[in-house]
Amino acid sequence: MAMLEIKNIHKAFDGLSVLKGVSLSVEKGDVVAILGKSGSGKTTLLRCINFLETADDGELVFDGETVHLHNASKKDIARIRKKTAFVFQNYNLFRNKTALQNVTEGLIVARKMPRAEAEALGMKMLEKVGMADKAASYPSQLSGGQQQRVAIARGLATDPEIILFDEPTSALDPELTGEVLSVMRQLAREGMTMLVVTHEMNFAKNVSSKVVFMEDGVILEESKPEDFFRQPKQERSRAFLRTILGEEASPKQEETV
Amino acid sequence: MNERLIRILLESFPKILLPGLTMTIPLTVISFSLALVIAVVTAIVQFANVKVLKQIARFYIWVVRGTPLLVQLYVIFYGLPNLGIMLAPFPSAVLVFSINEGAYCAETIRAALESVPRGQLEAGYCVGMSYMQIMRRILLPQAMRTAFPSLSNNLISMVKDTSLAANITVMEMFMVTQRIASRYYEHLALYIEVALIYLLFCTVLTRLQSWGEKKLSSYGAV
């Protein structure tokens, strides 16, 4: 049975339909790369799963438990959020908290973990992403790549079943994407289930176990990465790959993964 | 300046400063503290879009900001007795100043809350925090840091506004000065003297403000 199943999500903003019936199932240990042009609905899909947006229709089946996305109760929302972590494009670290406090905040406040225990766990998570030496730094003192790694540590600390990544490297300077991608690769190796909206084709090709291609609010293609990049089934997937890989041919990008 | 005038100024200085320390400052500190409480609640109610309470908050701010402070003092102190409600001068002044200042500070804090990026709230939700937890631990601290210079401004204004309490018989600095001035007929010198004492108070506050701004830092930003 799939760990997470998304059924028929619909979402419109001010009458503009962004998701038109998206369904997707994710197995434990899957690393799903969601690709597509901007405006195709990838980010909205991710945000609906975590209730950062309220979908107009659709269902979520998480560990066999069905939650309706449009009228989920506060309790349901809290339960789903507890099982998931979310990594934002622009990190969204708490600006008034140090790196360590960013990781421990949710543990102490939301999960009532004793401070000492939370701090020990927090340091372990920061070590995992190579940020232990910056534990006392505030976000404004860190580079984008460092902030994103702290954000990943914050997500990991709550022991999620799945991590949702919303274009985790898009706001970074090209030379900083590598450090974040290598952390994500390590997580994938350890068997973490991940749903990754990304423009990093090399990550999708080499790390993901499944590629989902979205356009205009629907999933056009769902394939193994080797199939998607070698012989995409849809004409539109081919067109997308031509544009993207054309851009990616610049030497700077190839180094990153 | 003749000797008599110098003597009057020297003798009156402690007489004016004393009510400054025992009236003006307590009036300001108490009223401003209450104003901040009112302001935080009023700002959050609006920011969080709480039904009904938000309308009440808007109405409160509209009325308070749209009427003169002096008139508000008169309504409470001279007007309420018509309804059988009699308040002593000092409590009347505290009531009016805190309600008045609360409305202005509420707008400052609301604007500061709105300047906190939405992602801070979303990140809080994603680590499992409730709205009020995020408000108290993430949004409000950031907003108060942003609002600090403006709130200091409000505080400095309030020190001077307390002179209006003379109109409702609060024995604060200005009231005392008026009495001394009319006894000696040295209005110019004595009013300048009290003005300088207000200036002294506000200078101290200005210093405190810059010290506070440094102390609060911007969470690591220089």
Side-chain angles (χ1 to χ4, degrees), chain A residues 34-131:
Chain A
I34 306 177
L35 309 180
K37 287 187 288 202
S38 39
S40 57
K42 321 179 289 286
T43 292
T44 307
L45 172 64
L46 216 58
R47 289 170 61 85
C48 283
I49 296 173
N50 213 18
F51 297 94
L52 289 177
E53 305 288 351
T54 308
D56 300 329
D57 196 13
E59 277 179 355
L60 207 67
V61 187
F62 206 138
D63 293 332
E65 207 180 334
T66 303
V67 176
H68 200 272
L69 285 169
H70 184 63
N71 42 26
S73 68
K74 271 193 170 171
K75 244 169 137 186
D76 286 336
I77 293 176
R79 211 168 40 236
I80 298 290
R81 281 184 179 152
K82 215 166 175 177
K83 294 179 180 186
T84 62
F86 200 98
V87 175
F88 296 87
Q89 182 176 354
N90 52 359
Y91 343 123
N92 285 341
L93 290 183
F94 303 130
R95 299 186 303 180
N96 57 330
K97 304 275 174 191
T98 63
L100 180 60
Q101 287 169 340
N102 261 280
V103 181
T104 58
E105 184 71 9
L107 301 174
I108 296 170
V109 178
R111 281 157 212 252
K112 311 289 176 215
M113 189 184 278
R115 180 173 298 272
E117 195 182 323
E119 279 173 1
L121 179 61
M123 283 310 293
K124 216 172 94 187
M125 292 303 138
L126 286 178
E127 258 161 48
K128 201 179 170 92
V129 298
M131 288 296 297

Side-chain angles (χ1 to χ4, degrees), chain B:
Chain B
M1 237 198 281
N2 59 41
E3 257 175 54
R4 173 181 167 269
L5 189 54
I6 291 171
R7 189 174 45 80
I8 292 173
L9 287 177
L10 285 177
E11 272 175 14
S12 60
F13 181 77
K15 287 186 196 147
I16 299 173
L17 187 63
L18 188 68
L21 299 175
T22 59
M23 272 292 175
T24 301
I25 289 178
L27 182 57
T28 307
V29 170
I30 297 171
S31 303
F32 197 76
S33 309
L34 291 175
L36 279 184
V37 175
I38 296 173
V40 166
V41 173
T42 311
I44 290 176
V45 157
Q46 293 179 79
F47 181 76
N49 238 326
V50 186
K51 278 175 219 129
V52 188
L53 287 182
K54 181 182 175 170
Q55 271 68 46
I56 295 172
R58 291 314 304 169
F59 179 78
Y60 155 64
I61 290 169
W62 172 63
V63 170
V64 168
R65 291 201 305 181
T67 54
L69 178 54
L70 186 57
V71 174
Q72 293 166 10
L73 281 166
Y74 271 63
V75 167
I76 297 298
F77 187 69
Y78 298 111
L80 284 187
N82 284 359
L83 299 176
I85 303 167
M86 302 253 223
L87 292 173
F90 190 80
S92 301
V94 168
L95 186 68
V96 171
F97 285 126
S98 50
I99 287 177
N100 184 277
E101 200 63 33
Y104 288 94
C105 293
E107 288 297 86
T108 304
I109 295 172
R110 183 179 62 89
L113 276 173
E114 267 156 23
S115 78
V116 178
R118 193 174 159 73
Q120 297 285 306
L121 176 67
E122 292 184 346
Y125 280 142
C126 288
V127 297
M129 293 163 80
S130 71
Y131 185 83
M132 281 321 285
Q133 286 172 333
I134 300 167
M135 175 57 73
R136 206 181 63 226
R137 302 183 54 97
I138 309 294
L139 304 185
L140 205 53
Q142 292 183 28
M144 291 312 266
R145 175 62 191 87
T146 308
F148 186 76
S150 305
L151 292 176
S152 306
N153 218 12
N154 288 5
L155 176 61
I156 288 171
S157 283
M158 194 183 212
V159 172
K160 297 169 293 169
D161 285 346
T162 56
S163 60
L164 290 174
N167 289 281
I168 60 166
T169 73
V170 175
M171 287 293 283
E172 49 65 69
M173 286 206 292
F174 186 55
M175 176 96 160
V176 172
T177 312
Q178 280 177 315
R179 293 196 170 173
I180 299 172
S182 52
R183 189 183 324 144
Y184 295 111
Y185 258 75
E186 289 292 352
H187 294 98
L188 179 63
L190 283 159
Y191 289 149
I192 287 176
E193 183 171 37
V194 75
L196 288 174
I197 296 176
Y198 278 111
L199 185 60
L200 176 73
F201 284 5
C202 292
T203 307
V204 171
L205 284 177
T206 308
R207 287 284 158 81
L208 278 177
Q209 177 187 348
S210 28
W211 175 81
E213 278 181 36
K214 271 190 212 116
K215 200 80 193 161
L216 283 169
S217 78
S218 300
Y219 308 115
V222 188

